[in-house]
Amino acid sequence: MARKPLIAGNWKMNNTIGEAVVLAQEISNEMEPDWLDAVDVAVFPPFTDLKPVYTVFEFDKLGVAVGAQNVFWEPSGAYTGEISIPMLRGIGCAYCIVGHSERRQYFGETNEDVNRKVAALVADGTQRIDPIVCVGESLAVRDEGSYLEFVEAQVKAAFAGIDAEAAAHAVVAYEPIWAIGTGRTATPEQAQEVCGAIRETLSALFGDVAAQMRVLYGGSMNEGNAELLLSQPDIDGGLVGGASLKAASFIQIVKAAL
Ligand code: PGA
């Protein structure tokens, strides 16, 4: 089944409101609207920039989606500092990154937390917010050789208790930690090996539905390496960090997915 590629720009903790609006406007100016027939494009600004960035694309009538970098699973309540799914809905978010390795590493997010967030996001389909579930091994795990088992366990844990119908629109992003922000990209073969294994795991969990679920690669993707990575059979797009902060680089990566 043909899967529409997704290019997702993870801005991380970068850009104040003014900077975010400028970057969104630059992306909007350089993007040809008909590219979006062939590729889905989304950006993931910090929470404080979500609404202004959404408004830039809305004003330009450009179908670039906006997503959040994190969410809490409870709908409301005494959870100081957290942001809920209904809040993201109210802003118009179409996606939410879950379980990024920086959240696992610096903020102690566990596989159980990731599972609760994914389950909450896919539970209510009225106004979909599709999770982008991040998985990936450290350099130590890669060197030791058990990376396929490690990633498979992360995928199974993230989707525990979730059925195929609910999981159908979820996205998985393979992001080897040793490739994030390091300039050391996985080779297309290394990335395909793990993305193929992720698809097999999804097949085991969800049967035929796995063929329609998108699997992205992330980790130092840039305009120079995107085309080869995106040409792999099980890589359906990219989760782009550093290179998504410059409109020209991000646009080149979008073009590589066409
Ligand atoms: P990078 O980040 O492209 O800067 O390596 C990717 C990510 O963390 O999503």
Side-chain angles (χ1 to χ4, degrees):
M1 176 189 284
R3 293 176 293 268
K4 191 176 182 187
L6 168 63
I7 301 298
N10 176 10
W11 293 4
K12 308 194 180 185
M13 196 177 73
N14 293 294
N15 293 329
T16 58
I17 279 196
E19 294 162 342
V21 167
V22 168
L23 178 55
Q25 194 62 64
E26 286 171 356
I27 291 170
S28 181
N29 292 347
E30 293 182 36
M31 184 97 66
E32 298 289 340
D34 63 349
W35 295 350
L36 296 167
D37 297 337
V39 56
D40 286 337
V41 178
V43 296
F44 296 75
F47 289 128
T48 47
D49 298 338
L50 280 169
K51 189 67 185 176
V53 168
Y54 180 91
T55 304
V56 168
F57 297 129
E58 187 187 38
F59 186 80
D60 288 354
K61 298 189 173 51
L62 186 70
V64 172
V66 166
Q69 300 172 18
N70 185 31
V71 74
F72 190 54
W73 55 77
E74 293 292 347
S76 63
Y79 302 103
T80 301
E82 292 298 318
I83 299 285
S84 73
I85 295 169
M87 293 169 185
L88 298 184
R89 281 212 178 90
I91 283 178
C93 285
Y95 298 95
C96 183
I97 296 171
V98 181
H100 190 281
S101 62
E102 287 151 16
R103 297 226 44 96
R104 296 180 192 253
Q105 193 178 342
Y106 305 135
F107 303 100
E109 268 192 31
T110 64
N111 278 337
E112 290 70 33
D113 296 333
V114 172
N115 178 236
R116 292 176 87 165
K117 293 178 181 190
V118 175
L121 282 163
V122 301
D124 179 357
T126 46
Q127 185 193 324
R128 268 171 41 206
I129 299 182
D130 296 340
I132 299 183
V133 182
C134 298
V135 297
E137 81 286 357
S138 64
L139 191 55
V141 171
R142 168 135 305 241
D143 287 346
E144 188 240 315
S146 58
Y147 53 95
L148 291 179
E149 294 82 351
F150 182 88
V151 169
E152 182 182 338
Q154 281 186 321
V155 172
K156 284 185 171 159
F159 288 102
I162 296 171
D163 65 25
E165 196 189 339
H169 298 287
V171 179
V172 178
Y174 169 55
E175 299 209 302
I177 295 169
W178 46 270
I180 294 178
T182 59
R184 183 182 159 190
T185 324
T187 64
E189 294 73 24
Q190 286 174 320
Q192 165 57 30
E193 183 192 26
V194 182
C195 290
I198 289 171
R199 179 131 12 242
E200 279 173 29
T201 304
L202 294 172
S203 289
L205 292 171
F206 304 126
D208 292 346
V209 166
Q212 76 185 58
M213 294 175 72
R214 293 183 287 199
V215 179
L216 314 183
Y217 168 79
S220 299
M221 187 181 267
N222 58 40
E223 60 266 57
N225 58 34
E227 196 164 344
L228 261 185
L229 286 160
L230 295 171
S231 68
Q232 302 300 307
D234 286 298
I235 300 180
D236 309 314
L239 184 52
V240 186
S244 73
L245 294 171
K246 290 193 218 91
S249 304
F250 188 60
I251 290 288
Q252 287 307 315
I253 297 171
V254 171
K255 281 168 104 171
L258 290 174

